[in-house]
Amino acid sequence: MSACRVIAVVNQKGGVGKTTTAVNLAACFGVSERTTLLIDLDPQGNASSAFGVSKPLHQVYDCLIGRMAIKDAVLPTELSSLDLLPAGPDLVGAEIELVTAEDRALHLDRALEDARNHYELIIIDCPPSLGILTLNALTAADSILIPLQCEYYALEGLARLMETRELIRASLNPKLELEGIVLTMVDLRNNLSRQVEAEVRQHFGNKVYRNRIPRNVRLS
């Protein structure tokens, strides 16, 4: 098996299509028969409910606190190559519990040590914040994938996220790359959408994917 790649899907702003991106990307890898693990690290648990999981017996929280190995907590999906590590209600408390831990940023990285030997790709759906859970994801990841909605404050949030990435690279995870930026909920009839897209493409060049995800009421 080729070396595992861990991709964190991250944006501190909610409602930008982050979970939709993570779920569909993981499903596409699964359909391609690449062994994939989707980790739901968002206490809201939307990536879990996308697979019909609402009250899991075991969850990512158990792995974060060292109670259980990831291989014992994952759930199969309809795709034979795709597993899910679900979120549950206990994840809300993890933010508080981990803050006082000495190695608070390293819990997920340690939990993934064995999982990296069993999967080609691990996709992490991060919560809409730059808190301790997202910090764990960025410390464990090889790269970040940023869904970006073309709206007024998008560039401001993107700048802050890139600053956070540089801080993580300097202190905890020097290998953390920018996988890419995917433009979501794009409405090309909107002048602001076109203007934001032009600025992002000018600044980040080929790190911005050519394909845009249009605003789609049916998908919502």
Side-chain angles (χ1 to χ4, degrees):
M1 184 186 293
S2 59
C4 176
R5 184 160 187 82
V6 181
I7 302 172
V9 182
V10 59
N11 191 320
Q12 70 269 36
K13 189 177 184 307
V16 298
K18 182 169 47 59
T19 296
T20 304
T21 300
V23 166
N24 284 281
L25 186 61
C28 286
F29 286 138
V31 167
S32 304
E33 297 186 348
R34 300 185 68 181
T35 50
T36 305
L37 172 64
L38 174 62
I39 298 177
D40 188 353
L41 205 61
D42 185 348
Q44 295 178 69
N46 292 333
S48 302
S49 58
F51 289 91
V53 177
S54 58
K55 295 180 179 178
L57 183 61
H58 305 302
Q59 53 176 293
V60 65
Y61 171 80
D62 298 311
C63 306
L64 279 173
I65 65 169
R67 182 190 294 164
M68 182 175 290
I70 284 180
K71 63 182 176 62
D72 297 321
V74 297
L75 298 173
T77 69
E78 293 176 19
L79 300 171
S80 59
S81 297
L82 175 61
D83 289 339
L84 169 70
L85 181 56
D90 290 347
L91 196 55
V92 176
E95 289 267 14
I96 300 163
E97 290 177 45
L98 292 177
V99 162
T100 56
E102 188 176 329
D103 52 356
R104 58 185 177 271
L106 300 172
H107 284 245
L108 184 60
D109 190 40
R110 287 175 184 158
L112 286 177
E113 279 181 16
D114 184 56
R116 286 185 175 94
N117 298 319
H118 295 90
Y119 298 99
E120 293 175 71
L121 289 143
I122 297 176
I123 309 296
I124 306 172
D125 182 30
C126 297
S129 72
L130 293 177
I132 198 72
L133 292 175
T134 299
L135 183 63
N136 267 264
L138 298 184
T139 303
D142 297 301
S143 61
I144 58 172
L145 175 63
I146 306 172
L148 187 74
Q149 190 177 352
C150 293
E151 56 168 21
Y152 189 72
Y153 292 112
L155 295 172
E156 192 176 291
L158 181 58
R160 188 175 168 211
L161 184 53
M162 297 309 293
E163 287 170 10
T164 302
R165 170 180 166 260
E166 288 307 314
L167 288 172
I168 298 288
R169 280 171 60 94
S171 58
L172 292 164
N173 182 7
K175 71 179 187 298
L176 186 64
E177 300 174 13
L178 173 60
E179 186 74 32
I181 298 169
V182 57
L183 302 174
T184 63
M185 303 181 192
V186 175
D187 183 356
L188 292 178
R189 298 168 301 179
N190 184 320
N191 283 336
L192 181 60
S193 268
R194 293 199 300 270
Q195 185 179 343
V196 170
E197 177 177 354
E199 287 192 41
V200 173
R201 290 191 185 280
Q202 181 180 357
H203 193 273
F204 289 96
N206 62 7
K207 283 295 184 181
V208 186
Y209 294 105
R210 287 194 302 273
N211 288 349
R212 314 177 190 92
I213 309 300
R215 184 173 291 281
N216 187 324
V217 175
R218 287 178 63 195
L219 181 61
S220 298

